[in-house]
Amino acid sequence: MKLKYLIKMLLVGIAFISCSKDSVSNETTTTNPDEINNFVWKAMNSWYYWQPNVADLSDSKIASATTYANFVNGKTPDALFYSLLYQRGTVDRFSWIENSNEVVRASKIAEVEKKGGFSYGIYPKDASSINMVALINYIVPGSPAALAGLKRGDVITKINGSQLTSSNYDQLENTQLTLTLAASVQFTSTGLVTTDKAVAVTVTKAEIDENPVAYYEKKVYGGKNIGYLVFNGFKSDYNDELNAAFAKMQSDGINELVLDLRYNGGGSLETAVALAQMINGSFTGKPYAYLDFNDKHNSEDGYENLSDKVKIFNLVDNEPTFQREESINSLALTKIYVLVSFQTASASELTIQCLKKYINVTTIGEETVGKFVGSNTLYDCPAYNYTSFANRSTKHKWQLQPITFSYYNKDKDVNPKNITPDYAINPYSTFLNLVEFGNVKDPCLKKALELITGQILRTRGETTETSLSFKIGNLAAFNPTNTAKGLYIEDLKSLKNN
């Protein structure tokens, strides 16, 4: 059965925490498979990208009804699911299961979410990688975090009165938080030293539909009209706002672009393809990205082509619903500068890897997540190939988010482990330098402007990379937990025609 209007996604490059414990069930086995576990196994057997590599997902498992029932009944649904992953934590870092009445949270890219309204990155304070701090990347205007007075560049040292650590930083996703901020931050030979402000800040989550087109500014240096665009999520319900931002850049005469994807964990493939066309626009009809599923779903393999139209979606019952098409506003650029970080993932990485085949893409910042696989949500609806939320079983709330495909550029080149920037910026150099968006104290933005203009920019009070005696090499294990996004496809119909 062909998939139509099916939400698919590339998840961000972090390990998600399931809503229940990964534990073993005490349930007595029988010759009849448990209904939920039967759904888990059969959906994974059908869709899981690495199904051929997992012996316990082999079709031979169901040859004996008794053996199969005893196998699937021996664990709770989440324990069964995680036992079926291929080299969990190394090869498969992204699949998870959830026990929820709603659409799986990371698939809800275009939606109203309950959030605090602040994006953050987690950083070790020293080489032990136990004590942490959280650097606030940005604040959503009008959000609880904004109302509480938090701002970009603030450093969180404690949560609910306890030192932030590698064991408790996930509590930053709790519904209500009491945050202690740093009054000062210093770098020493052994690590990062902070002092705390006396008064803590309380943030309570609220419903937010965050506009991912977070900031735009025209900068003029050396006769060049430079556009600086901060894009924090490929949300299809904001395709019209993204297109409008490029219309504004057209009217501003932008001939150079700095695209900031440092805090962008992914989103809609529809939006990613449209963004490429907005940047260049000269390759309408050409292949852009290739999706590859397991052998049971080879009919879903195919290209997504560049188009001169972008689909506009509005939220209906909190789901993106197609409304109309718009002509794409294009800058006709042949080169761009992309700011990246250890939080840049999935659709953002796709943008870089696939766009490189058509124009010059210069990356600045830190190594990205390295997330070149994707997923679609699986529900307990075998008659609908496990893909219909509307027709799912209402007897339980379990649903799966396994990796179901990988993606490549138009030439199907082997993907790297992650994207290594052309110009590396020490991640700790952003401390004390993250002020409002657009301020050239930001070391990544500053580097991009220097590459564009060929001039060295001097900024007052900048903390330079050479002044940092403390350097941590690999921050990938400390990705933030609040950028749970991915790549999804609203309509696979065009994919099947290529």
Side-chain angles (χ1 to χ4, degrees):
M1 179 182 73
K2 299 287 185 179
L3 296 179
K4 295 183 179 179
Y5 302 99
L6 170 65
I7 290 181
K8 288 197 175 92
M9 2 174 295
L10 285 174
L11 315 177
V12 327
I14 57 178
F16 292 95
I17 301 173
S18 68
C19 294
S20 60
K21 299 289 185 181
D22 184 1
S23 57
V24 176
S25 171
N26 293 322
E27 183 177 344
T28 304
T29 60
T30 69
T31 55
N32 296 316
D34 173 82
E35 180 179 358
I36 298 173
N37 285 8
N38 188 47
F39 147 60
V40 170
W41 190 90
K42 289 190 174 178
M44 291 287 283
N45 169 265
S46 176
W47 281 101
Y48 188 50
Y49 184 67
W50 292 289
Q51 181 266 338
N53 303 95
V54 180
D56 282 341
L57 281 175
S58 169
D59 292 347
S60 63
K61 272 287 180 182
I62 57 176
S64 166
T66 300
T67 301
Y68 170 72
N70 287 337
F71 170 72
V72 299
N73 290 356
K75 295 180 172 69
T76 55
D78 49 349
L80 174 62
F81 175 87
Y82 289 116
S83 74
L84 298 174
L85 300 187
Y86 179 58
Q87 296 185 27
R88 180 187 177 191
T90 54
V91 175
D92 187 351
R93 297 176 286 152
F94 310 106
S95 297
W96 85 97
I97 185 173
E98 188 161 279
N99 191 8
S100 172
N101 231 352
E102 301 177 351
V103 178
V104 172
R105 61 190 166 120
S107 68
K108 296 170 62 180
I109 305 304
E111 92 287 50
V112 176
E113 292 181 282
K114 200 163 190 176
K115 298 190 293 186
F118 63 101
S119 166
Y120 57 88
I122 302 295
Y123 296 77
K125 291 188 71 173
D126 54 44
S128 71
S129 296
I130 296 175
N131 291 331
M132 305 285 173
V133 294
L135 178 64
I136 295 182
N137 301 322
Y138 67 89
I139 302 295
V140 179
S143 67
L147 297 176
L150 295 178
K151 62 184 184 300
R152 174 171 157 85
D154 278 345
V155 176
I156 300 170
T157 60
K158 294 179 180 178
I159 180 168
N160 300 327
S162 299
Q163 166 67 48
L164 201 68
T165 68
S166 58
S167 300
N168 70 6
Y169 73 80
D170 60 319
Q171 293 178 22
L172 289 169
E173 292 303 299
N174 290 352
T175 299
Q176 185 165 323
L177 313 166
T178 299
L179 304 175
T180 301
L181 303 180
S184 66
V185 178
Q186 293 182 320
F187 295 93
T188 70
S189 59
T190 58
L192 187 154
V193 177
T194 61
T195 61
D196 293 341
K197 291 184 177 181
V199 180
V201 176
T202 298
V203 178
T204 302
K205 287 186 176 182
E207 299 293 333
I208 299 174
D209 185 11
E210 178 185 339
N211 184 349
V213 186
Y215 184 83
Y216 164 69
E217 180 184 350
K218 175 184 177 180
K219 293 180 175 293
V220 180
Y221 289 96
K224 294 180 180 291
N225 295 330
I226 305 168
Y228 172 56
L229 179 66
V230 181
F231 189 47
N232 291 333
F234 291 77
K235 296 178 66 176
S236 58
D237 60 328
Y238 281 92
N239 284 353
D240 46 352
E241 281 84 352
L242 181 61
N243 203 29
F246 276 83
K248 173 62 175 170
M249 284 190 269
Q250 281 182 332
S251 66
D252 285 346
I254 296 301
N255 48 35
E256 300 279 359
L257 176 62
V258 180
L259 179 63
D260 195 339
L261 299 180
R262 283 177 291 179
Y263 319 121
N264 193 320
S268 166
L269 177 60
E270 183 80 40
T271 305
V273 176
L275 175 61
Q277 192 79 349
M278 292 171 194
I279 292 169
N280 179 269
S282 301
F283 301 98
T284 301
K286 298 293 185 181
Y288 187 59
Y290 183 81
L291 303 188
D292 175 56
F293 292 78
N294 70 24
D295 289 343
K296 294 189 175 187
H297 294 280
N298 282 338
S299 62
E300 305 300 337
D301 296 351
Y303 283 102
E304 186 72 4
N305 290 348
L306 294 163
S307 171
D308 59 359
K309 303 288 185 183
V310 58
K311 293 179 180 178
I312 306 303
F313 297 84
N314 286 341
L315 290 184
V316 177
D317 295 330
N318 211 29
E319 292 298 318
T321 303
F322 173 75
Q323 301 294 313
R324 66 186 187 280
E325 285 189 335
E326 285 184 359
S327 295
I328 283 179
N329 302 309
S330 175
L331 296 181
L333 299 175
T334 58
K335 66 177 182 299
I336 63 166
Y337 300 81
V338 182
L339 308 188
V340 296
S341 77
F342 65 94
Q343 297 171 251
T344 303
S346 62
S348 292
E349 293 172 305
L350 180 148
T351 295
I352 294 166
Q353 291 298 96
C354 296
L355 198 55
K356 276 183 178 180
K357 287 295 178 176
Y358 291 104
I359 68 171
N360 188 329
V361 179
T362 298
T363 50
I364 302 164
E366 307 147 30
E367 289 185 353
T368 65
V369 169
K371 173 77 178 49
F372 302 105
V373 290
S375 174
N376 52 280
T377 308
L378 303 181
Y379 308 100
D380 191 354
C381 53
Y384 293 85
N385 212 2
Y386 305 102
T387 60
S388 174
F389 176 75
N391 293 284
R392 75 197 185 285
S393 170
T394 58
K395 295 179 182 179
H396 63 84
K397 302 175 183 179
W398 290 99
Q399 46 202 13
L400 318 181
Q401 203 66 53
I403 296 304
T404 56
F405 66 92
S406 60
Y407 78 82
Y408 303 88
N409 62 30
K410 73 178 184 68
D411 294 334
K412 303 181 186 178
D413 293 334
V414 175
N415 288 312
K417 179 181 178 182
N418 50 27
I419 297 174
T420 302
D422 300 308
Y423 295 89
I425 303 294
N426 186 305
Y428 284 85
S429 67
T430 58
F431 281 82
L432 310 179
N433 292 323
L434 280 190
V435 283
E436 67 275 9
F437 280 128
N439 191 311
V440 295
K441 264 186 79 175
D442 183 331
C444 292
L445 175 58
K446 179 186 173 188
K447 184 63 177 180
L449 296 175
E450 289 178 342
L451 291 172
I452 292 171
T453 62
Q455 302 171 358
I456 301 298
L457 301 182
R458 303 294 181 186
T459 59
R460 183 175 298 177
E462 177 189 3
T463 302
T464 63
E465 184 170 335
T466 55
S467 71
L468 301 180
S469 57
F470 172 56
K471 298 187 179 184
I472 296 291
N474 181 18
L475 295 177
F478 307 105
N479 284 352
T481 60
N482 69 325
T483 52
K485 301 180 181 178
L487 181 71
Y488 65 87
I489 305 168
E490 287 85 0
D491 185 359
L492 281 182
K493 195 173 182 180
S494 60
L495 184 65
K496 299 307 144 205
N497 292 332
N498 299 309

